[in-house]
Amino acid sequence: MTDQAHPLIGNNTIDPEALWQDVMETARFGATGKGGICRLALSAEDHQVREWFRSSCSSLGATLTTDTMGNQFARIEGEEAGLAPIAIGSHLDTQPTGGKFDGIIGVLAGISVLRLLKETGTRLRHPVEVVNWTNEEGTRFAPAMLSSGVFAGIFTPDYALSRTDNNGVRFETALAAIDAAGTQPCGVHPLAAYLELHIEQGPVLEAENCTIGVVTGVQGMRWYEVTVTGRESHAGTTPMSMRSDALQAAARLMASIQEIALNRPPHAVGTVGMVSVRPNSRNTVPGEVSFSVDLRDPSDDVVIAMENSFRERAGVLSREYGVSIGIREIWDSPAVHFDQRLIDAVSFAARSLHLPSREITSGAGHDAAYLARIVPATMIFVPCADGISHNESESATREDIAAGANVLLQTLLIADRQLDALPASGG
Ligand SMILES: [Zn+2]
């Protein structure tokens, strides 16, 4: 999809000041002393920002619908009857020590688009909707992206509603406590396409002086729990040749993760983030070591190849050290490829706005990753300072956010004219 900019919008761009003001205004709900936000899903602060969303969208002439997971949809009608809406969205909940931008700019950029449509008196062919997905962060109620997951059919409503927080409060109870549940069954809401603007949450765009990340997908990811079992014995009296040292074998296996990832450039990453040693005593040869492994790459084939290399290496070390090694996969999240027509539209929009851009794969999960399973979807990234996110010092500039919102607007306009041939999803 490469085309001229929308004739109705002409050279109009979104108002960067109004967008920035919205960012600062929503940052009041759950503001922390260090300039960040603590706005856990379905908390009193989340209730405040959800009410703000409702009234801001209503004052722009949008109609609100809320589904049974508390997902909020603000809709402006289109010109042509029978077309499903093109949705723009993200999330308004944050980490306990979160920033002002993660998720939030994706929703607020959508509100800026509604504002521009109203001010210019423009109607698109499709309805346009701004969406706030409930509980994206997964901090209060695990797992992350819970409500977009139900919408996309990844989780059942019963599973989602019965999640509990650390105090044993059920998701369903928390929804009711702030009157956030709507009547529309989650997932029946039709969409023609889904667009999400987000900060990169990594350092690549800033390092390369790129304003726009044209996101091609979300990388594949697998998690494992590895247990190496040897034999505990006295550190002074057991000769080296007669040991079954779980830690020496585990250390070499852990080191191999680095090598395995480095052997598959340019994107593969492998991480050991948690280790425990038993009995963890200075003068005992370790009998058992368990550790985590996290493998990621944009290609599922590469993730599988890394896993195979890792298992092979475990076999060799198990024989060499006389230990047994168990590898248990605990999570498999396949790679997501966004809609190529929408990726091309984002790329075209960035070029036509003279903004430096590059293709990028998301290293983190997002609502768009689930939406992409049921509807044409893509994402746009903008830089954040030092790539830092999930942190109160998270920072992004007014100019970059506005640039991202303008790319979002142009992408919407291209999609509005060219996506109608696609059947609408039924959620
Ligand atoms: Zn986010």
Side-chain angles (χ1 to χ4, degrees), residues 241-413:
S241 62
M242 296 174 72
R243 296 181 177 204
S244 177
D245 187 330
L247 182 53
Q248 290 299 322
R252 285 186 57 194
L253 189 53
M254 286 188 261
S256 79
I257 289 291
Q258 166 114 336
E259 186 188 306
I260 285 166
L262 285 172
N263 277 339
R264 286 170 183 81
H267 301 297
V269 289
T271 307
V272 176
M274 281 166 34
V275 185
S276 79
V277 179
R278 278 174 41 140
N280 212 25
S281 158
R282 202 178 300 277
N283 54 355
T284 300
V285 175
E288 188 182 290
V289 176
S290 50
F291 61 95
S292 64
V293 175
D294 171 320
L295 301 177
R296 306 186 191 206
D297 191 88
S299 155
D300 289 328
D301 289 347
V302 172
V303 176
I304 291 165
M306 285 199 287
E307 174 180 333
N308 290 340
S309 301
F310 179 64
R311 287 187 184 277
E312 223 168 86
R313 189 87 179 124
V316 170
L317 289 167
S318 154
R319 287 187 291 277
E320 193 176 323
Y321 284 87
V323 295
S324 71
I325 301 179
I327 300 173
R328 193 163 68 89
E329 183 188 293
I330 56 168
W331 190 41
D332 176 10
S333 175
V336 174
H337 300 282
F338 288 138
D339 187 272
Q340 191 58 49
R341 297 160 303 175
L342 292 175
I343 295 170
D344 291 345
V346 171
S347 201
F348 176 81
R351 271 201 312 281
S352 59
L353 294 169
H354 308 292
L355 295 165
S357 67
R358 59 159 282 160
E359 290 200 341
I360 191 166
T361 306
S362 175
H366 293 289
D367 294 309
Y370 283 158
L371 268 294
R373 301 203 191 187
I374 54 163
V375 64
T378 202
M379 294 188 77
I380 299 157
F381 279 174
V382 290
C384 53
D386 301 320
I388 290 172
S389 179
H390 286 194
N391 189 309
E392 290 162 282
S393 65
E394 180 183 275
S395 172
T397 68
R398 183 183 317 221
E399 293 71 28
D400 287 348
I401 294 171
N406 279 314
V407 170
L408 179 80
L409 170 68
Q410 294 302 320
T411 305
L412 167 71
L413 298 177

Side-chain angles (χ1 to χ4, degrees), residues 90-91 102-103 136-137 196 198 201 366:
S90 196
H91 59 95
D102 172 359
E136 191 275 347
E137 293 289 0
E196 182 166 349
H198 206 281
Q201 303 184 279
H366 293 289

Side-chain angles (χ1 to χ4, degrees), residues 172-193:
E172 190 173 24
T173 311
L175 264 179
I178 61 164
D179 198 19
T183 51
Q184 183 175 62
C186 182
V188 304
H189 195 97
L191 297 178

Side-chain angles (χ1 to χ4, degrees), residues 85-160:
I86 300 176
I88 299 168
S90 196
H91 59 95
L92 294 173
D93 67 328
T94 76
Q95 292 281 322
T97 53
K100 299 186 187 78
F101 305 95
D102 172 359
I104 296 146
I105 65 163
V107 178
L108 302 188
I111 292 178
S112 281
V113 169
L114 296 189
R115 186 178 291 123
L116 179 68
L117 293 177
K118 181 178 158 76
E119 283 171 359
T120 58
T122 307
R123 269 193 174 221
L124 302 189
R125 295 177 55 227
H126 296 74
V128 176
E129 293 193 348
V130 182
V131 190
N132 171 32
W133 302 107
T134 308
N135 193 66
E136 191 275 347
E137 293 289 0
T139 304
R140 182 171 177 198
F141 299 98
M145 305 176 292
L146 187 64
S147 304
S148 55
V150 172
F151 189 87
I154 311 291
F155 309 122
T156 65
D158 284 351
Y159 169 82

